[in-house]
Every structure is written in C-alpha cells, then in structure tokens.
C-alpha cells in the first residue's frame, strides 16, 4: 500500500532504526518512544488491523510474539518485565493502520492490569 507509512518503511522509502529484519517481519525503534525500550514489530505483508489476519497467518503472528520476547532479552528488559501491546482500530488507540506490536520496557509499566 503506497500510502501506508509502515509499508513505505518496509520498502526502504522511509528510513528506520532497524532492530531486526527477516523475510516476514521488520522490527524498528519507535520515533516517539513511550519507554526507554520502544520497538515496533510489523509484518512485512500489509494487514490494516489485528482483525484482518486469518488462521493461516497464525505462524506469522506467533513469530512476531517470539521475536518480541527475543528482542526484550537482547535489550535487557526481559527479566525485569516488559509489555507487548497491539492497538486495534480507533477506540483501541490504533493510529497507523498497518498491524503492529509495541514492545515497551525499561521502566515500570502502570495501568491496564
């Protein structure tokens, strides 16, 4: 999708500070971090929201979760704790309509639980 900022990052049209990349997913640092560690993980294939993947996409979503945990370890926040968040649609707080996970850590997370 040419108008999707995350698709443009995947295509290399917009620079990003990449934390991880493979054929399926891209992880990069958020440009407006809400915590000392704030990494966005996105599938390279465009899905607007978490409502869009189907059953056959389960391995991709699982791979994203496992990569989030691995990155938390690499960034040394795994033991103390971290948050993985997916906002879906406007009332869920989604601002960029390309499915993405936020990996947040490095400080005490409050609220929501």
């Amino acid at each position: 999708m040419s108008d999707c900022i995350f698709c443009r990052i995947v295509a290399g049209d917009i620079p990003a500070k990449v934390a991880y990349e493979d054929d399926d997913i891209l992880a990069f640092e958020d440009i407006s971090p809400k915590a000392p560690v704030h990494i966005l993980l996105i599938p390279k294939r465009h899905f607007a929201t978490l409502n869009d993947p189907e059953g056959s996409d389960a391995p991709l979503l699982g791979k994203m979760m496992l990569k989030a945990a691995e990155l938390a370890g690499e960034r040394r926040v795994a033991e103390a704790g971290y948050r993985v968040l997916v906002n879906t649609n406007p009332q869920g707080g989604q601002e960029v309509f390309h499915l993405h996970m936020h990996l947040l850590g490095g400080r005490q997370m409050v609220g929501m639980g």
Side-chain angles (χ1 to χ4, degrees), residues 1-112:
M1 303 201 85
S2 62
D3 61 337
C4 171
I5 190 167
F6 287 172
C7 287
R8 293 181 65 205
I9 290 171
V10 168
D13 298 337
I14 297 174
K17 189 171 180 184
V18 175
Y20 175 80
E21 181 174 14
D22 67 20
D23 290 341
D24 302 314
I25 63 176
L26 178 66
F28 54 94
E29 295 192 20
D30 193 297
I31 62 169
S32 182
K34 307 297 187 241
V37 172
H38 190 167
I39 297 173
L40 301 176
L41 294 96
I42 66 171
K44 287 187 170 180
R45 189 166 55 137
H46 183 86
F47 298 100
T49 75
L50 186 58
N51 295 332
D52 299 325
E54 299 178 357
S56 61
D57 299 309
L60 172 62
L61 300 178
K63 182 178 185 178
M64 290 174 64
M65 291 293 289
L66 292 171
K67 183 51 65 176
E70 184 179 317
L71 289 168
E74 289 175 8
R75 299 297 171 105
R76 302 185 190 275
V77 297
E79 188 173 319
Y82 59 96
R83 179 176 286 173
V84 176
L85 176 68
V86 178
N87 298 318
T88 304
N89 282 323
Q91 286 191 4
Q94 187 174 5
E95 296 176 0
V96 176
F97 286 84
H98 183 123
L99 173 64
H100 58 286
M101 294 178 170
H102 296 260
L103 167 62
L104 300 147
R107 69 168 172 81
Q108 178 66 49
M109 298 290 135
V110 295
M112 304 209 35

